């Protein structure tokens, strides 16, 4: 059966979506990711969608599901590389992708994941991950 | 006056056909020189309507028509199925309404992504959705 590969990079999992996926492949990816997060005890998931020309309600729902389910497994999800036209279309379609963090590219996504997963274990002073990210954006 | 410069019909009988719908709509939108944002919008709308025709309408077809209105180019897509039809159109056209465990954003979202949107459905006979995007 056709599958999207999931790479393990230290504490994180990386998925690069390079093909236009049919719906069953999307569901398989969602299931595979959930299983990998728990077996690898991953702290974060990075989904690179820079090659995706569209994100419709089905893929949008998968991304939101992955983010919600990884939260339950105590992992963070970052979506990277969303094309500007895709982002514009998503908003008009009416999908908000609440609670899904985004980054410009994989490199920045990894930095973001490192920062927020580290911050959770080190800074127990109540500073939220979002504040740390905002802080990061100003500096770069 | 609107003239049809090119027409074709594609099947929507399985999940692979939904992928092919996205691909062919992209090809036509490119040929009509749609902007990247307009391409993305019409492909996304087509993906939603093709999936509805497959999931709820038990499969159907997409008719494609390249249009010319004066110097203005457009793309009209008609999704037709002979499925169960839609009992309550007002509900179906409400953001978030779903009978299939989706997000309920397909129809309303597709409507927002195009210039013209028309839906006709007869319970027990089927559903036809027509969308047009002008360049
Ligand atoms: N071709 C169709 N035939 C019969 N019923 C339909 C058809 N298209 C849509 N519907 C009905 O209208 C409802 C709303 O459709 P819509 O596409 O907006 O949402 P959805 O498919 O349920 O979820 P989403 O598209 O967000 O994944 C569907 O749940 C279904 O009941
Ligand atoms: Mg739908």
């Amino acid at each position: 059966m056709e599958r999207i590969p999931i790479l393990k990079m230290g504490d994180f999992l990386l998925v690069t979506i390079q093909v236009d996926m049919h719906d069953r492949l999307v569901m398989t990816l969602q299931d595979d990711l959930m299983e990998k997060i728990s077996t690898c005890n991953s702290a974060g998931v990075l989904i690179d969608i820079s090659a995706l020309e569209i994100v419709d309600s089905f893929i949008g729902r998968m991304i939101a599901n992955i983010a919600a389910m990884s939260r339950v497994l105590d992992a963070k999800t970052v979506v990277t590389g969303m094309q500007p036209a895709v982002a514009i279309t998503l908003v008009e379609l009416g999908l908000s992708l609440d609670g899904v963090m985004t980054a410009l590219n994989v490199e920045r996504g990894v930095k973001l994941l490192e920062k927020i997963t580290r911050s959770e274990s080190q800074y127990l002073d109540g500073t939220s991950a979002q504040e740390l990210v905002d802080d990061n954006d100003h500096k770069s | 006056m609107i003239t049809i410069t090119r027409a074709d019909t594609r099947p929507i009988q399985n999940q692979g056909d939904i992928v092919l719908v996205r691909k062919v709509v992209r090809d036509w939108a490119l040929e009509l020189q749609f902007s990247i944002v307009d391409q993305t919008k019409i492909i996304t709308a087509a993906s939603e309507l093709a999936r509805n025709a497959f999931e709820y309408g038990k499969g159907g077809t997409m008719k494609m028509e390249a249009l010319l209105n004066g110097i203005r180019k457009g793309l009209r897509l008609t999704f037709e199925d002979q499925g169960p039809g839609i009992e309550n159109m007002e509900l179906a056209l409400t953001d978030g309404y779903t009978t299939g465990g989706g997000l309920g954003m397909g129809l309303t979202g597709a409507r927002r992504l195009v210039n013209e949107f028309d839906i006709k459905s007869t319970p027990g006979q089927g559903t036809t959705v027509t969308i047009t995007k002008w360049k």
Side-chain angles (χ1 to χ4, degrees):
Chain A
M1 198 176 101
E2 198 186 351
R3 280 197 140 82
I4 306 282
I6 301 172
L7 297 180
K8 191 171 179 298
M9 301 191 309
D11 284 343
F12 307 139
L13 298 177
L14 171 65
V15 181
T16 307
I17 301 174
Q18 271 158 335
V19 292
D20 187 347
M21 302 179 286
H22 57 76
D23 293 357
R24 207 171 339 100
L25 191 55
V26 173
M27 295 310 294
T28 308
L29 173 61
Q30 182 176 316
D31 295 345
D32 287 354
L33 255 179
M34 287 312 112
E35 197 186 311
K36 262 241 150 105
I37 292 173
S38 61
T39 54
C40 299
N41 211 349
S42 303
V45 179
L46 226 135
I47 306 172
D48 186 59
I49 60 166
S50 52
L52 275 193
E53 282 174 344
I54 69 139
V55 171
D56 62 10
S57 66
F58 198 83
I59 296 187
R61 181 148 55 100
M62 170 203 74
I63 292 173
N65 281 349
I66 289 172
M69 294 197 272
S70 22
R71 259 196 299 281
V72 177
L73 298 170
D74 204 22
K76 307 280 182 264
T77 303
V78 175
V79 170
T80 62
M82 189 187 292
Q83 303 282 345
V86 170
I88 292 168
T89 302
L90 261 185
V91 171
E92 215 155 297
L93 188 63
L95 298 194
S96 54
L97 293 190
D98 280 338
V100 179
M101 286 178 288
T102 54
L104 220 53
N105 53 39
V106 173
E107 196 186 339
R108 277 172 168 243
V110 170
K111 279 196 184 132
L112 174 58
L113 272 181
E114 278 168 351
K115 197 151 196 173
I116 54 180
T117 51
R118 212 187 320 124
S119 72
E120 294 231 320
S121 46
Q122 283 179 3
Y123 313 108
L124 295 169
D125 60 2
T127 313
S128 76
Q130 193 54 50
E131 287 170 60
L132 287 165
V133 176
D134 290 345
D135 186 39
N136 185 39
D137 280 350
H138 290 310
K139 274 182 213 146
S140 55
Chain B
M1 201 189 75
I2 296 175
T3 50
I4 299 167
T5 56
R6 185 182 175 193
D8 201 358
T9 301
R10 298 298 166 110
I12 308 168
Q13 295 298 340
N14 54 55
Q15 289 190 348
D17 285 344
I18 303 176
V19 176
L20 293 176
V21 158
R22 291 197 285 259
K23 192 168 148 30
V24 68
V25 171
R26 176 180 181 272
D27 289 346
W28 283 46
L30 260 177
E31 199 175 295
L32 291 165
Q33 295 166 310
F34 277 25
S35 70
I36 182 77
V37 172
D38 282 346
Q39 279 174 44
T40 309
K41 287 182 179 179
I42 185 90
I43 302 168
T44 306
S47 184
E48 297 296 342
L49 299 175
R51 184 177 294 105
N52 281 354
F54 172 64
E55 296 281 345
Y56 303 110
K58 302 185 171 122
T61 54
M62 171 180 70
K63 186 165 86 187
M64 313 176 69
E65 291 163 305
L67 308 175
L68 195 60
N69 187 2
I71 54 159
R72 211 169 172 207
K73 291 174 183 170
L75 182 54
R76 181 161 66 203
L77 304 175
T78 305
F79 297 83
E80 200 179 327
D81 67 65
Q82 275 79 48
I86 298 174
E87 291 277 350
N88 190 330
M89 191 56 77
E90 202 182 318
L91 262 185
L93 289 174
T94 306
D95 271 345
Y97 175 80
T98 177
T99 59
L103 294 173
M105 300 305 286
L107 283 178
T108 49
R111 179 160 67 173
R112 280 188 289 268
L113 291 172
V114 296
N115 300 110
E116 291 158 31
F117 179 95
D118 181 66
I119 182 163
K120 288 188 182 69
S121 188
T122 312
Q125 287 183 26
T127 304
T128 303
V129 186
T130 305
I131 55 175
T132 308
K133 186 91 188 159
W134 291 102
K135 193 182 165 227

